[in-house]
Amino acid sequence: MQPDQVIAPGQKPADGKRTRRLIGGIVAGVATLIGITSGVIGIAEFLDRGTPAFAQPIDTVEGMREFLSFADEHDGELVRLETRCVFHDGPMPCSQQGDPLQRASVLLDLNADPSCDPDRVQPCTGSVVLFFFAENVTDAQIDNGEYGAGSIVVRGYFTVSRRGSLGTLPEGTTAIYLTAVPADEVKDE
């Protein structure tokens, strides 16, 4: 505004109007850019899901709970696992056991109750038992790994199947079947 310019009551200088329009345009442009970016990210995440993966130990209570949540979320799906249950003295949320039906490669009993004996040979009340099946699949690892007896390392692709309580398990115990899938049959995009 020029020093000799007079503005009538109720009027604002023209520069204020231009400034408000400029700010409004900038805000609208930024909002549009954010909207477009969010949309592209959402579409990319939808198209690039790949195989769900779980890659943390289950020999801690937190890891065990994370795994059970993961298994619930992906029931009936193909998943990639890279986990372990390493034996140590004292209470353990995971424990290797023998399969009473001798069909599974490995059974792991998951239970966060500290009174559940770490050397248990049967599931404790409230346990979730993981049955790992790996018939004719050499590229799935279900063994002691580098940790030795009592520990289990699991790596590979598996289908997840929550089975509920089976007749071979104590009452109040839930079974989850994890069946190995050959890596060459997986389309991991």
Side-chain angles (χ1 to χ4, degrees):
M1 182 167 94
Q2 302 291 334
D4 60 337
Q5 198 175 19
V6 178
I7 298 176
Q11 285 188 329
K12 296 182 181 175
D15 285 346
K17 195 174 203 177
R18 260 188 262 144
T19 302
R20 283 192 308 278
R21 282 187 186 161
L22 179 61
I23 291 172
I26 290 171
V27 168
V30 169
T32 300
L33 184 60
I34 290 171
I36 290 170
T37 303
S38 297
V40 168
I41 289 171
I43 290 170
E45 285 180 358
F46 178 76
L47 295 177
D48 187 32
R49 285 190 166 169
T51 303
F54 182 85
Q56 68 184 53
I58 57 174
D59 51 14
T60 65
V61 172
E62 179 183 325
M64 179 202 76
R65 288 185 177 141
E66 289 289 325
F67 177 79
L68 293 176
S69 176
F70 176 82
D72 282 345
E73 184 178 337
H74 298 290
D75 185 24
E77 296 179 25
L78 175 74
V79 299
R80 187 172 51 82
L81 299 179
E82 179 135 356
T83 189
R84 68 178 186 263
C85 168
V86 178
F87 180 82
H88 59 271
D89 290 330
M92 286 186 54
C94 58
S95 174
Q96 181 181 354
Q97 298 176 3
D99 180 4
L101 301 178
Q102 299 179 349
R103 294 183 308 183
S105 300
V106 168
L107 258 65
L108 280 180
D109 172 9
L110 303 182
N111 194 311
D113 183 350
S115 68
C116 195
D117 183 5
D119 295 323
R120 57 196 178 263
V121 293
Q122 288 190 33
C124 296
T125 302
S127 287
V128 175
V129 180
L130 307 180
F131 287 77
F132 289 95
F133 299 97
E135 292 180 26
N136 304 317
V137 179
T138 57
D139 46 353
Q141 178 183 358
I142 310 170
D143 57 32
N144 301 120
E146 64 271 20
Y147 299 103
S151 300
I152 294 296
V153 174
V154 176
R155 290 185 181 108
Y157 293 96
F158 297 83
T159 56
V160 178
S161 177
R162 288 188 57 83
R163 303 298 293 234
S165 184
L166 303 174
T168 57
L169 297 173
E171 191 174 325
T173 305
T174 302
I176 297 177
Y177 284 8
L178 296 142
T179 305
V181 175
D184 62 350
E185 293 181 13
V186 176
K187 295 175 185 166
D188 199 11
E189 302 165 355

